[in-house]
Amino acid sequence: MAILKVSRMGHPVLRQQAQPLTPAQIRQPAFQQLIDDMVDTMVDYEGVGLAAPQVYQSVRLIVLGYPDADPENPDDLPLTLCINPEWESLSEEKELGYEGCLSIPDLRGLVPRSKAVVVRALDRKGKPFTLKADGFLARVLQHEVDHLDGILFLDRMQDLSSLSFLEEYYRYWHKKED
Ligand code: ZN
């Protein structure tokens, strides 16, 4: 187990198209270790999602959620990992919501995302699964999959007028969201 360094905006790895993983690569102990290290890193940085390019690995792997999620609490996303994820929108509608990113520290901004998506991916054993998601989970999934295509949330903002530093976000905008 290790806590990895998180790449920040400006590092080229965040702008690359990440490579899909083969079943043989998924079985490698080093890759299984990367999964566990990414979960530890996400928890340590208090993030809700992390994509492999954010730890300098240009491969199609994302982790999201909380390892100690409370199943009774719908805001507590269960720990999920997706290898080679692909998603499709299940909704015509897009919804604006604030996002932040461990690779863009201390900023929040409003990003339009599909309200509901279906994701197809492989689990850590290489087994395919399908996940339907809406609301916050759908948002986090779209944000993390974007990282695999070299896209950051700033690229998705319609305009930059909502962009806030964290302190100002909590002071002026956090409560107005609900
Ligand atoms: Zn991010």
Side-chain angles (χ1 to χ4, degrees), residues 23 26-27 31-32 35 81 83 122-129:
I26 293 169
R27 283 194 299 270
F31 179 74
Q32 295 290 320
I35 295 172
L81 82 95
I83 296 166
L122 304 177
D123 68 14
R124 68 185 300 160
K125 292 181 172 157
K127 207 170 129 241
F129 69 96

Side-chain angles (χ1 to χ4, degrees), residues 54 100-102 143-144 147:
Q54 293 183 278
C101 182
L102 296 179
H143 175 119
E144 298 310 329
H147 276 299

Side-chain angles (χ1 to χ4, degrees), residues 14-48:
L14 289 171
R15 293 306 193 174
Q16 286 165 12
Q17 188 74 22
Q19 294 304 305
L21 289 143
T22 63
Q25 286 173 312
I26 293 169
R27 283 194 299 270
Q28 291 285 323
F31 179 74
Q32 295 290 320
Q33 184 69 51
L34 172 66
I35 295 172
D36 294 333
D37 290 347
M38 278 178 60
V39 172
D40 287 347
T41 303
M42 175 174 72
V43 169
D44 190 68
Y45 277 78
E46 300 183 331
V48 68

